[in-house]
Amino acid sequence: MFLLGIIALALLPALMNGLRYSAQQSTVATATRQVNGLVDQVRQNPVCGTIGSIVGTSAIPRSFADGRGQTFTTQATIGSCSAGSVVSLHITALQGSVTLATADALVMIPPNPVTVP
C-alpha cells in the first residue's frame, strides 16, 4: 500500500499538468471555432457597414465564453471596403494579452445592384 501511495504521489503532478493543458486546449479550440465562424458570418452578409459589428474591432471588441466560462475577445483589422471589391480581414481571439487564435480571410463584397427607373 505504501509503495502504491508513493507512485500515486509521483504521478499526481503529471496528472495536474495534463488537466491544465487539456483545459487550455479546450479554450483554444473554442476560440478557433469562433474565429472561423465569424469569417463565415461575414461571408454570409458581405456588407461593408456590418463587418465591424460582426467580427469586433480594437475599439469595440466582441466577447465570448467557452464551455468552462473562460472569456475571450475577438478583434479584427479590416482592409478598405467598397462595393464590388475584395476586403481583407485579420481576426484575432485574445484572452487577456494571450493570443488564442488568428485567421486571415478575403471576402468578396458584391457590387451595388443596378436599379432601372
Side-chain angles (χ1 to χ4, degrees):
M1 286 290 256
F2 180 72
L3 184 58
L4 289 176
I6 290 175
I7 292 172
L9 283 175
L11 293 177
L12 189 61
L15 178 64
M16 295 302 290
N17 284 337
L19 290 173
R20 190 172 333 156
Y21 181 74
S22 175
Q24 178 187 11
Q25 290 305 307
S26 173
T27 301
V28 169
T30 301
T32 302
R33 281 192 305 271
Q34 189 63 46
V35 166
N36 290 332
L38 292 174
V39 171
D40 288 341
Q41 286 180 28
V42 170
R43 287 187 173 147
Q44 290 173 3
N45 187 20
V47 177
C48 291
T50 63
I51 293 175
S53 63
I54 292 172
V55 295
T57 61
S58 58
I60 306 171
R62 290 198 55 196
S63 293
F64 300 95
D66 68 359
R68 297 180 314 124
Q70 299 291 314
T71 60
F72 60 91
T73 59
T74 59
Q75 300 177 4
T77 304
I78 304 167
S80 71
C81 187
S82 62
S85 69
V86 175
V87 64
S88 64
L89 299 174
H90 176 77
I91 305 171
T92 305
L94 300 165
Q95 189 174 47
S97 62
V98 177
T99 300
L100 300 174
T102 62
D104 293 307
L106 297 174
V107 177
M108 175 65 186
I109 307 298
N112 291 329
V114 177
T115 57
V116 178

